Amino acid sequence: HVRDAITKTGEVSLDLVYRWDDDTTITVEDFLTAVMGKSKYWRSVEITVRETPSTYPGLQSMPCPALETLKMWCIDQSSPLTEPFNLFGGMPAPSTLKELTLCRVPVQLESLELVELEALTLINLGPHSMEVLTRILRTSPRLVTLVLEDVVGLRAPSTGHTPAIHLQHLHTLKLRLPVPTTRFLLSTLHADKLDQLTVIPNFSSIPPSMLFTPSLTHWVPVLQRIAREADRIEIAFDWFGICSLKFGKLYYIFNVEVFDTTQCVREILDWHLENLGEAVAALPAWLLYQDVCPSFGDLRHFSQLPNVTELSIAHTPLAEQVPSKLFKALGSPTRSKPPQWLLPSLMILHYDLTNGSKRSLLAMLKGRYGPRGSRDPSLDQLPPPPSLREIRFYGGIGKTWALPKDEAFLREVQLLSKGAHIFWMDEQHVFD
């Protein structure tokens, strides 16, 4: 059927899409073989396979002179990488090629002599040399999108000075590479018009100070501009040791194994607050904990931020200790002199009730916001912090579990929180 259809296309430009799924009845080899006779009319080719095929007919042998977009994906992460192979018969890529995406497809990049690209995405590839990559970037000054994730072999030069690479049209940059490689690329790249930056370093053995060095000074005005568009700072932790820090379209996701997670986050956060100006430092912050039990000291770290206004607590049955310990910390002031409340600007609380402790929550509200006489007598001289504006209950990660309402519990929550708006699965609860 593919061969019959392709013969009727004449000399029009062709956009080819092959996506594997469980119902696919034709192999990618047969698909490309059927359309190979029209390769000079191919405008875009997008191929998604489960496992890397033995060959890509046409793409490996034909020049494809009109090709503008090439996307090749292998979605099975366990599929072994095959030996690198050439495209276009080992000749340079067509001069028309503007967008290239390769995911677990071991194409030999050097022979392509890529120039004037507008989008480059390389994911789970290797080995490739930094020399080849920087050559591509230098000859693609109009690059708009650059994504580099888990590309093996990209090592920063050990000696010599690398001239700056100016990408004045770059809009989106995403790097998931070792810290030394990330630092080298950021120190080399200059992208004054960048709109979105995502950095995913692994701090399992290298502290954040090894990434945020003076070599990134030229990025400060760019990061200031991006972060100013944010309406808040989001700080998230999960039990896998994955942390994230987000200022709108400025996004860091990092793995921490050896170092203290809160300390790492504060180190990165402090660098940004010190370098990005007062507008960013004044942004409200949202703390999110998924199956993580923050200590009293962790919360005290973030209490030093000027404006933590939102807190999310979610947990699975494996982490039932999370809310009780966290709420105990929030329901009691510090032992410093004078004593202080943790997260004193807190206005909105999100709480996953799937396996959550109602008792711990009520005890926190009573200790933190309750009237004199209902709290510990030692707290009578310490005014309560400002009342919560909203308390939002939901069920399960992604809010997928329909919780049965407990009217008496909700009424007690509202009473202890001094009239906070109560939301149940994103809908405001109206009391009788």
Side-chain angles (χ1 to χ4, degrees), residues 134-417:
T134 53
R135 187 185 308 137
I136 294 171
L137 299 181
R138 290 187 191 284
T139 56
S140 299
R142 300 188 67 82
L143 200 66
V144 175
T145 300
L146 176 60
V147 177
L148 302 171
E149 298 187 39
D150 300 319
V151 182
V152 177
L154 295 181
R155 294 184 177 86
S158 56
T159 58
H161 171 69
T162 302
I165 299 175
H166 294 273
L167 299 175
Q168 295 305 312
H169 297 271
L170 195 64
H171 178 276
T172 301
L173 175 60
K174 182 177 182 180
L175 301 175
R176 180 174 180 157
L177 299 165
V179 170
T181 306
T182 300
R183 183 180 62 239
F184 169 75
L185 285 172
L186 289 176
S187 64
T188 304
L189 297 179
H190 290 247
D192 295 342
K193 296 181 180 179
L194 194 73
D195 180 68
Q196 183 170 339
L197 173 63
T198 303
V199 180
I200 311 175
N202 189 329
F203 293 126
S204 60
S205 59
I206 299 177
S209 58
M210 297 299 291
L211 175 59
F212 297 96
T213 66
S215 66
L216 304 189
T217 301
H218 64 284
W219 279 98
V220 168
V222 179
L223 300 184
Q224 284 178 330
R225 176 176 48 76
I226 297 174
R228 281 197 201 105
E229 298 177 5
D231 57 4
R232 64 190 177 196
I233 304 170
E234 296 181 23
I235 309 163
F237 301 84
D238 73 26
W239 74 290
F240 291 104
I242 304 298
C243 311
S244 64
L245 184 58
K246 188 175 183 181
F247 305 78
K249 295 181 181 179
L250 174 57
Y251 196 18
Y252 300 95
I253 307 171
F254 45 94
N255 177 267
V256 179
E257 295 177 3
V258 177
F259 304 102
D260 178 83
T261 55
T262 297
Q263 185 60 42
C264 275
V265 171
R266 277 310 309 253
E267 191 172 330
I268 299 171
L269 186 59
D270 288 346
W271 186 91
H272 287 76
L273 296 179
E274 291 168 7
N275 287 277
L276 302 192
E278 294 182 0
V280 174
L283 285 173
W286 183 5
L287 275 176
L288 302 96
Y289 289 98
Q290 171 67 53
D291 289 346
V292 175
C293 184
S295 68
F296 197 95
D298 293 336
L299 292 177
R300 187 168 53 193
H301 263 300
F302 293 116
S303 295
Q304 296 165 8
L305 291 176
N307 207 14
V308 176
T309 61
E310 209 159 345
L311 174 66
S312 289
I313 306 165
H315 53 281
T316 63
L318 297 177
E320 290 184 0
Q321 79 281 8
V322 171
S324 59
K325 292 185 177 181
L326 186 145
F327 284 145
K328 185 176 181 180
L330 288 176
S332 305
T334 65
R335 296 180 179 178
S336 59
K337 293 184 178 181
Q340 296 176 332
W341 293 104
L342 297 178
L343 308 184
S345 301
L346 189 62
M347 300 296 292
I348 301 173
L349 174 65
H350 304 255
Y351 187 35
D352 176 5
L353 271 179
T354 309
N355 295 284
S357 169
K358 296 178 181 178
R359 186 187 307 168
S360 297
L361 172 63
L362 294 173
M364 181 276 286
L365 294 175
K366 183 177 180 180
R368 189 175 175 95
Y369 305 107
R372 292 186 181 185
S374 68
R375 301 186 294 163
D376 187 317
S378 64
L379 303 182
D380 284 348
Q381 301 305 313
L382 178 66
S387 300
L388 290 171
R389 189 175 71 232
E390 297 176 8
I391 301 178
R392 293 176 169 266
F393 296 109
Y394 62 96
I397 299 172
K399 304 180 181 180
T400 55
W401 190 56
L403 293 167
K405 280 189 180 181
D406 183 339
E407 185 77 21
F409 166 69
L410 295 182
R411 189 173 296 279
E412 191 170 2
V413 168
Q414 188 191 45
L415 178 64
L416 290 173
S417 63

Side-chain angles (χ1 to χ4, degrees), residues 6-23:
I6 207 73
T7 58
K8 300 175 183 178
T9 59
E11 297 181 357
V12 300
S13 298
L14 297 176
D15 298 312
L16 305 177
V17 178
Y18 176 93
R19 294 193 181 106
W20 174 90
D21 60 36
D22 290 334
D23 298 322

